Amino acid sequence: MKTDHLTIKELTDAVGGGVTPRMVRHYHTLGLLPPVKRSESNYRLYTQQDVQRLQRVIALKQQGFQLSHIRHLLDSHSEENLDPTLMVQLQQQYHSVIQQITRLRQTAFALEGLLGRDQNCQITQAEALAQLKCLDVDVQEGLGKLDQLWMNLDAETTTHPEAFQESLKHLLPDLSAYSEITIHLLHQLVLACGDVSLVNAVRLSQGAIATARDALKGGCLIMTDVPVVAAALDQTRLAHLGCTVETLIDEPHITGVSEAEQAFWNHDHCQRRLQQIPKGCVLVIGYAPSVLLTACKLMEQQQIQPALVIGMPIGFSHAPGAKRRLINTPVPHITIQGSLGGGLLAAVTLNALVETLIAKPDCHCYLTCL
């Protein structure tokens, strides 16, 4: 006889994602899954509502929420008012995560100090490794000796200029699947911020490099959100290509994200100007997330059709949301997920594309690689 109920095995198969019957039983114990009806043989029987509940649990767990917080979230009966207790718990979890990131960053600093050495520093690098291996003192004295070890290692840096590309080879993940032009862009972004992990957050849409090169070859308009982004662009190379640069929020006193955001909201002419940008331009957004959000809305409505959007505004709620929205548009784009970004990185992105276009105008490697 056909039934709408699922066994625990059928439940885990329906949800997928590596969920096991043992995990389901554990979630029942924690109260994440409610008690369910049982068969005559005492087997648990699940409904589609249980499938949806478990899918939500797994999705929130993958986002990093603690199981206790997930239960609190799913069992909350208030859709309008925030639970202050839950918000305090989430804030505590956030600070704990930041502390973990700080500790991991300190580990990364130490590893970069050893691995990120060019050939001229490798003799000292070997000496440092040998000293680390032989370090056998109490904790406090050991920390002092470690500081001295780094100082000895750093002394070698005064004897020659750093070979950045050589250092990056030891630190970056495998980029062999990417084109030469894309790799150059990623290298420039890392060198602009000093954070190797940025590579994992960069998102280039299919055909973004090809579209950008075609637009730049045609002497397209470059529209930036604020003057400081325009000031960081390679004006000489852009002029060589016949590209002009204009600024959407053309107020020279704007130097920060808050000022850019407020200026865009307070001046209707900025929003009207965004609606009027010409087809085929390159839009470079490095500060105001609302500019990118509005641009995405206009692109979805097909009111504007830029050739490329470099969307890298800074922010902790609007910016990540704007970037997710950009990624889901069919318009060619380059962005950095999350809150990371800024005017310098946005300008570096365009400058890298311009540099490789002029240096290698006939290169087509980007057509066969990611």
Side-chain angles (χ1 to χ4, degrees):
M1 179 176 177
K2 186 175 180 181
T3 176
D4 291 332
H5 291 98
L6 305 173
T7 66
I8 194 168
K9 179 66 167 59
E10 290 170 334
L11 171 71
T12 57
D13 288 344
V15 173
V19 180
T20 65
R22 182 178 180 181
M23 291 169 62
V24 174
R25 296 187 190 98
H26 181 55
Y27 292 161
H28 276 298
T29 303
L30 297 177
L32 280 164
L33 292 176
V36 294
K37 181 179 177 181
R38 288 182 178 266
S39 69
E40 294 179 357
S41 303
N42 203 33
Y43 290 111
R44 289 186 176 96
L45 298 176
Y46 297 91
T47 66
Q48 286 302 316
Q49 285 184 325
D50 296 315
V51 173
Q52 292 177 355
R53 172 88 176 194
L54 184 54
Q55 286 173 332
R56 290 169 184 155
V57 170
I58 299 304
L60 291 170
K61 184 181 176 184
Q62 289 175 342
Q63 286 293 308
F65 287 95
Q66 295 177 0
L67 293 179
S68 59
H69 298 162
I70 294 173
R71 178 183 176 183
H72 206 155
L73 279 167
L74 296 182
D75 291 342
S76 174
H77 298 293
S78 174
E79 298 295 334
E80 297 179 358
N81 299 320
L82 294 174
D83 184 332
T85 301
L86 176 60
M87 296 308 294
V88 169
Q89 292 175 351
L90 292 177
Q91 188 177 40
Q92 290 172 344
Q93 184 187 358
Y94 172 76
H95 290 310
S96 176
V97 169
I98 292 300
Q99 289 177 350
Q100 294 175 44
I101 291 173
T102 300
R103 288 193 292 269
L104 289 171
R105 186 68 260 181
Q106 289 172 342
T107 302
F109 288 154
L111 292 171
E112 287 167 354
L114 288 170
L115 298 174
R117 298 283 166 168
D118 54 33
Q119 189 172 4
N120 289 317
C121 285
Q122 286 179 358
I123 294 176
T124 312
Q125 179 187 55
E127 292 175 354
L129 287 171
Q131 292 178 47
L132 284 173
K133 183 178 179 180
C134 297
L135 198 65
D136 184 19
V137 289
D138 65 69
V139 174
Q140 291 302 319
E141 186 181 353
L143 290 175
K145 286 188 174 293
L146 278 174
D147 288 340
Q148 187 59 49
L149 183 151
W150 291 119
M151 290 177 65
N152 293 340
L153 188 58
D154 292 339
E156 188 66 26
T157 62
T158 63
T159 63
H160 63 280
E162 182 168 353
F164 293 106
Q165 299 302 325
E166 191 176 323
S167 297
L168 284 176
K169 289 179 182 178
H170 305 301
L171 300 174
L172 286 170
D174 181 16
L175 300 177
S176 59
Y178 293 90
S179 71
E180 182 183 351
I181 289 174
T182 303
I183 291 173
H184 175 73
L185 167 59
L186 295 174
H187 281 196
Q188 295 302 100
L189 286 171
V190 168
L191 291 173
C193 68
D195 187 353
V196 176
S197 67
L198 181 77
V199 167
N200 299 315
V202 177
R203 293 292 178 270
L204 292 87
S205 67
Q206 186 76 22
I209 299 294
T211 305
R213 287 170 69 91
D214 288 342
L216 292 168
K217 282 180 184 177
C220 67
L221 171 70
I222 311 296
M223 178 67 76
T224 69
D225 55 344
V226 292
V228 289
V229 176
L233 295 179
D234 190 335
Q235 302 282 351
T236 302
R237 284 193 171 108
L238 286 170
H240 174 77
L241 293 171
C243 298
T244 56
V245 179
E246 295 183 10
T247 303
L248 189 68
I249 310 170
D250 196 11
E251 297 183 20
H253 68 275
I254 291 179
T255 57
V257 179
S258 297
E259 295 169 340
E261 187 78 346
Q262 289 300 319
F264 182 72
W265 277 102
N266 294 337
H267 297 92
D268 291 341
H269 71 272
C270 294
Q271 300 181 36
R272 289 195 302 270
R273 192 174 186 189
L274 181 58
Q275 295 173 2
Q276 297 167 357
I277 62 171
K279 180 179 179 180
C281 71
V282 172
L283 190 56
V284 185
I285 303 169
Y287 273 72
S290 288
V291 174
L292 182 55
L293 281 168
T294 305
C296 287
K297 178 181 178 180
L298 294 172
M299 290 186 291
E300 291 162 359
Q301 297 172 347
Q302 297 186 339
Q303 293 187 41
I304 61 173
Q305 298 179 33
L308 175 74
V309 177
I310 298 174
M312 299 181 183
I314 303 173
F316 303 99
S317 60
H318 289 48
K323 293 169 184 178
R324 283 191 291 268
R325 191 165 178 175
L326 176 63
I327 289 170
N328 288 319
T329 68
V331 176
H333 57 265
I334 304 175
T335 188
I336 300 173
Q337 287 183 311
S339 60
L340 295 173
L344 175 60
L345 294 180
V348 164
T349 299
L350 183 63
N351 288 343
L353 294 173
V354 171
E355 178 186 354
T356 50
L357 173 59
I358 292 176
K360 300 180 179 181
D362 299 320
C363 177
H364 295 92
C365 61
Y366 53 89
L367 297 176
T368 56
C369 295
L370 292 176

